[in-house]
Amino acid sequence: MKTSLSEILSATKGSIIVSCQALPGEPLYCEEMSLMPFMAKAAKEAGSKLIRTSSIRDVVEIKKQTGLPVIGLVKKVYEDYDGYITPTMKEIDDLVAVDSDIVALDCTNRKRGDGLTPTEFIKQIKEKYPAIVLMADISTVEEGVAAWKAGVDMVGTTLSGYTPYSPKVDGPDFELVEKLVKAVDIPVIAEGKVHYPDEAKKMLSLGVHAVVVGGAITRPLEIAQRFYKEIQ
């Protein structure tokens, strides 16, 4: 069962969305069973009302084990595609089939193997699934505005620093968030390199709807590496 967008927005305003993801090759990835529902359960007990996760398996298991709505995505690398977050209609179909409450996709201006622009891809998705709720993962203000005008329901700053033309900064991209909040008329979700509570609090003060925090909460390898880096 899916949760409505209005219910999700009401529950998450001014709050933290926890990202629970583990990909093959990472310490918390287990082929036999997903460990992410345990992470999501901990996030729920801490107060999270919405989980962001990758893979069809984790969408299904997290919804089943926690009862929380989910931002679903699939990370898939294709030849001739520079982006890998829900890059094609195949991943959209799979995420819709398991009742992802929100579907996140790459809406950057990087190369797509099908030759479509993000706007054209969004149009195709909306034509096939008129009721779908979309979150655009972007890296610049211009990409965010284009996604908004194309009809997405929210924009996330997920990919700032991950495209060759966006700023490379060690921490969160506060400048992008501040500009994007003023440029679009849909919820802005701050995401990317939010490592400390004070950074999340600053993001909220800039007017974002909510803040996604992942690595600082659910990726123990990254957390440990951050500590070791500081003492070396």
Side-chain angles (χ1 to χ4, degrees), residues 126-204:
K126 289 282 190 176
E127 288 174 350
K128 190 170 186 179
Y129 301 109
I132 197 170
V133 177
L134 294 177
M135 175 177 175
D137 289 346
I138 56 86
S139 67
T140 67
V141 174
E142 293 74 22
E143 290 170 346
V145 170
W148 163 49
K149 290 182 177 179
V152 302
D153 300 279
M154 58 186 69
V155 291
T157 57
T158 319
L159 293 170
S160 174
Y162 295 96
T163 57
Y165 47 81
S166 58
K168 306 298 184 288
V169 294
D170 291 333
D173 192 343
F174 294 110
E175 182 178 355
L176 170 60
V177 166
E178 190 170 17
K179 291 179 178 178
L180 194 57
V181 165
K182 296 174 182 177
V184 302
D185 195 27
I186 52 176
V188 173
I189 309 297
E191 181 174 5
K193 303 176 184 176
V194 180
H195 294 148
Y196 304 102
D198 62 318
E199 293 173 339
K201 192 172 182 179
K202 181 175 178 180
M203 284 294 194
L204 290 171

Side-chain angles (χ1 to χ4, degrees), residues 12-82:
T12 58
K13 185 171 177 57
S15 188
I16 302 295
I17 299 165
V18 178
S19 179
C20 302
Q21 301 184 40
L23 301 176
E26 295 181 350
L28 288 187
Y29 181 83
C30 178
E31 192 68 40
E32 292 73 25
M33 65 174 291
S34 174
L35 302 179
M36 291 304 101
F38 298 102
M39 287 289 189
K41 183 178 179 182
K44 180 181 180 179
E45 291 185 12
S48 182
K49 305 297 184 185
L50 178 64
I51 302 295
R52 179 174 163 114
T53 194
S54 62
S55 87
I56 300 305
R57 179 180 73 167
D58 287 348
V59 169
V60 171
E61 290 301 315
I62 287 173
K63 285 175 69 73
K64 182 195 303 181
Q65 297 296 329
T66 69
L68 290 176
V70 166
I71 300 171
L73 60 107
V74 174
K75 292 182 176 178
K76 178 77 172 178
V77 176
Y78 287 104
E79 186 177 357
D80 294 328
Y81 281 76
D82 291 339

Side-chain angles (χ1 to χ4, degrees), residues 194-232:
V194 180
H195 294 148
Y196 304 102
D198 62 318
E199 293 173 339
K201 192 172 182 179
K202 181 175 178 180
M203 284 294 194
L204 290 171
S205 74
L206 295 176
V208 300
H209 178 82
V211 182
V212 171
V213 182
I217 296 175
T218 61
R219 290 181 180 260
L221 174 60
E222 289 185 15
I223 297 167
Q225 288 174 330
R226 199 171 300 121
F227 273 86
Y228 279 103
K229 182 180 178 181
E230 284 298 318
I231 65 173
Q232 287 174 353

